[in-house]
Amino acid sequence: MVFDNYEFTNRGGRSYNEDSAGSRIHEGEGLFVVADGLGGHSYGELASACVRDTLLDAFPCRDGDISRWFEEQIAGANRRVLALQEEKDAVLKSTVAALYILGDRAVWAHAGDSRVYYIHDGRLQAVTEDHSVAYKKYKAGEISKRDIAFDEDQPRLLRSVGGPDHNEPTIRSYEEYLTPGDAFLLCSDGVWEYLDDEEIVIDLLKSENARQWAEYLLLRMMERLNEGNDNLTLLAVMLK
């Protein structure tokens, strides 16, 4: 499997960019990470970079048990962020959305409201479910999916990296075989809140490579951004 990937991050309308993104690729294996720091005053950037670097520095998984590897590495990142809190005497946490591709297998993990989207055969096959109060309200039928982004409880996360509890990721292993043409989008809430699921798929189908796909998505967002909008981070992955 050949990886075509492109990442973009920008502070948007905020004073600091507290998001982080990165990837590692080696001999048919790929790891892709997006993290969104919480804390303000640039401390969120430290938390998200800590999460990203913990995962990327541990790549690749040696025994093939990627789900367990994610559990161990995110637990390690949690310990490192807790140590940063002690050092800075401040509360700083991070979300994480991470994707590991090994041959024709995919495993992804997330904590918080950064997302992983998976598109196969021109259709959205899966998307992570946010660990947030707003997403719980959507699942309960209290609000629509589109309303999640604008709900007053959207900032209230139920899980994140950097706490003594409620830090465990949700991990999914994709059981079907990946095929060329499949694609993944990892992004922070500053991106997905301006995009509908259908638009993500439509822009993929128009694109010849990961960078073009990302640029189509960003163009859509530029027309919708509000003053003071959140940091914008996305990582597009296409399999060829």
Side-chain angles (χ1 to χ4, degrees), residues 9-227:
T9 186
N10 186 276
R11 66 184 176 87
R14 302 291 175 86
S15 300
Y16 306 96
N17 186 356
E18 299 187 306
D19 290 355
S20 296
S23 60
R24 291 281 190 276
I25 296 171
H26 178 69
E27 296 183 352
E29 297 183 51
L31 174 63
F32 309 91
V33 182
V34 165
D36 180 355
L38 317 170
H41 305 293
S42 81
Y43 287 153
E45 179 184 1
L46 295 177
S48 66
C50 179
V51 172
R52 176 199 61 198
D53 294 346
T54 299
L55 290 170
L56 295 182
D57 290 347
F59 176 80
C61 172
R62 299 298 180 182
D63 63 5
D65 189 341
I66 301 170
S67 294
R68 185 178 67 181
W69 183 88
F70 266 138
E71 290 177 353
E72 292 173 350
Q73 302 313 320
I74 292 175
N78 191 73
R79 291 191 293 270
R80 290 181 64 186
V81 174
L82 286 173
L84 274 174
Q85 292 184 20
E86 290 287 332
E87 176 186 335
K88 299 297 182 183
D89 191 24
V91 176
L92 52 151
K93 299 183 179 183
S94 178
T95 70
V96 63
L99 166 70
Y100 200 121
I101 299 176
L102 174 59
D104 52 12
R105 297 170 51 209
V107 181
W108 54 85
H110 83 289
D113 61 355
S114 294
R115 292 183 179 179
V116 179
Y117 294 80
Y118 171 48
I119 299 98
H120 169 76
D121 198 23
R123 296 185 180 184
L124 183 64
Q125 296 293 317
V127 58
T128 51
E129 297 188 353
D130 307 339
H131 299 130
S132 70
V133 174
Y135 200 91
K136 287 287 188 183
K137 290 165 73 172
Y138 156 66
K139 295 292 286 186
E142 297 178 23
I143 61 175
S144 70
K145 190 171 185 179
R146 190 73 195 98
D147 288 338
I148 294 172
F150 311 104
D151 190 82
E152 61 184 1
D153 289 320
Q154 168 56 23
R156 296 177 59 193
L157 299 185
L158 301 174
R159 296 192 204 179
S160 60
V161 181
D165 49 24
H166 306 298
N167 51 51
E168 306 87 355
T170 295
I171 301 172
R172 176 171 179 179
S173 179
Y174 187 66
E175 303 299 335
E176 304 296 330
Y177 291 128
L178 300 179
T179 59
D182 287 359
F184 294 87
L185 177 70
L186 290 73
C187 59
S188 62
D189 62 331
V191 169
W192 63 251
E193 66 183 4
Y194 292 102
L195 298 169
D196 291 329
D197 292 352
E198 297 80 4
E199 293 173 333
I200 292 172
V201 177
I202 289 170
D203 286 346
L204 170 65
L205 296 176
K206 297 189 300 185
S207 303
E208 296 181 359
N209 53 58
R211 178 169 187 156
Q212 189 175 50
W213 182 25
E215 288 175 347
Y216 278 137
L217 295 173
L218 290 167
L219 282 173
R220 285 188 188 271
M221 294 170 53
M222 291 305 116
E223 300 176 351
R224 303 169 182 176
L225 296 178
N226 301 315
E227 185 176 355

